[in-house]
Amino acid sequence: MSASIDMKEILSGLALKRRRDLAIIERAAGTFAAMLIGNAQAITPVKTGFLQASGTWEKPQITVDNVIVQVGFNASYAAIVHELPPERAHHEPPGQWKFLEVTLRNDGAKFVPYVAAQLKKAN
Amino acid sequence: MTPFDPNNFLESLIRFVAGTFAPALSLVPPREIWRGRAIEGAACAPLYTSVALYPGAGQRFEALPKKSIQWLTIGPEKNPDAVALRAQKIYEALLGSEGRPLQMKTINGFKTDGTADGTWQLKNVVFIQTPGALGPDEEGRPQWVFNTDIDLCKLT
């Protein structure tokens, strides 16, 4: 005795759900990256504003088991401003060195809960 | 919990790293590795590394201090290769024999005045990045940097 089930509808429904979920994840990851760069910009040292304005993020990359968003500052001198300690380079508050690292340490742990919450809200 | 003096820890750490070089990096003028800001001039070698604590890592529910440390190497304008090499060798001093970041490494302890002070254990060294060039400083001198988070404890 045998039985069979036509899986086509179920599978296409699952595929549609997966595409929607991936779109939600991508949107959430991008929103988080924008927020993170915004927070970093708030403590980026400002002289002309070019460094601060160079904050940016890449389109989220989604793999089977990971979501990656690259964030950073594009100004050619971003690294040196980021790394020179206060005794070698004075910055007017709230600008400070390590402006991206401090932000990532403070906010990075919130990334997964935020994306998960957006996914749960949509489902 | 054994009281933790970050200055003594840093002194112990730089002495450990200095001792991995042959000959050892000089801790007397002209000094080659500095705890915190280097005092440039006759007391300072032209090629030197400043090792400084900075407000990086936070501590969650673990009974271990964690310190973020910057390793900044600066050298003569006309010898950028030497700066890169020194930064790399200091980085390698924090790797074990298999080339992995140090874990459970016991080092001799020293106070900032150089007197012996028990031992520390580097529970876990995490490299935030590998050494990289920052670009020249205002005098045109090459600068290389890397940063570490270190879980540690005062053993004795």
Side-chain angles (χ1 to χ4, degrees):
Chain A
M1 186 173 109
S2 66
S4 66
I5 301 172
D6 185 350
M7 290 293 291
K8 278 203 216 77
E9 272 198 40
I10 294 171
L11 289 173
S12 82
L14 284 173
L16 178 62
K17 182 176 182 324
R18 179 175 161 76
R19 281 197 299 276
R20 280 197 193 127
D21 284 350
L22 287 177
I24 291 165
I25 290 169
E26 185 177 324
R27 201 160 46 242
T31 301
F32 189 91
M35 182 273 301
L36 193 130
I37 283 296
N39 288 346
Q41 285 171 323
I43 55 172
T44 300
V46 175
K47 207 167 182 181
T48 63
F50 183 81
L51 172 60
Q52 191 183 48
S54 75
T56 187
W57 60 96
E58 300 276 308
K59 186 174 176 230
Q61 302 296 316
I62 302 175
T63 62
V64 168
D65 55 359
N66 220 346
V67 180
I68 298 170
V69 188
Q70 290 207 53
V71 297
F73 287 77
N74 277 339
S76 59
Y77 50 87
I80 200 167
V81 174
H82 190 269
E83 290 298 311
L84 279 189
E87 59 264 23
R88 292 181 62 87
H90 171 72
H91 302 302
E92 285 300 314
Q96 63 169 83
W97 70 319
K98 301 284 190 183
F99 45 93
L100 183 58
E101 183 180 327
V102 163
T103 306
L104 279 168
R105 287 187 190 267
N106 284 339
D107 294 342
K110 301 169 195 165
F111 178 57
V112 169
Y114 174 75
V115 172
Q118 297 305 304
L119 194 57
K120 189 174 176 183
K121 199 161 66 173
N123 280 302
Chain B
M1 194 180 100
T2 309
F4 171 69
D5 185 326
N7 303 299
N8 290 345
F9 164 67
L10 206 56
E11 183 70 26
S12 307
L13 183 64
I14 67 170
R15 283 175 182 262
F16 161 70
V17 168
T20 64
F21 283 68
L25 292 180
S26 174
L27 296 163
V28 296
R31 187 163 178 152
E32 294 178 288
I33 186 165
W34 293 78
R35 178 173 53 87
R37 181 181 183 180
I39 301 170
E40 293 189 344
C44 186
L47 173 59
Y48 71 88
T49 300
S50 282
V51 185
L53 297 171
Y54 71 90
Q59 181 171 344
R60 292 189 167 81
F61 190 68
E62 61 238 348
L64 279 179
K66 186 196 289 274
K67 289 296 168 189
S68 295
I69 298 165
Q70 184 190 65
W71 308 74
L72 177 62
T73 301
I74 300 173
E77 183 187 352
K78 291 190 175 14
N79 201 348
D81 288 355
V83 181
L85 188 59
R86 172 64 60 81
Q88 179 64 24
K89 292 249 173 271
I90 287 183
Y91 170 81
E92 288 171 2
L94 298 168
L95 301 176
S97 56
E98 291 181 3
R100 298 177 195 275
L102 289 173
Q103 286 190 323
M104 309 301 280
K105 174 70 179 177
T106 300
I107 64 174
N108 291 325
F110 294 91
K111 294 187 178 171
T112 54
D113 60 7
T115 54
D117 183 36
T119 55
W120 293 85
Q121 191 169 69
L122 310 180
K123 294 284 188 193
N124 192 27
V125 174
V126 175
F127 291 100
I128 309 300
Q129 68 272 116
T130 54
L134 278 187
D137 69 1
E138 61 278 1
E139 296 174 32
R141 296 178 299 176
Q143 304 174 103
W144 277 63
V145 76
F146 68 92
N147 297 280
T148 55
D149 283 348
I150 301 183
D151 295 310
L152 57 114
C153 75
K154 189 81 170 55
L155 268 187
T156 59

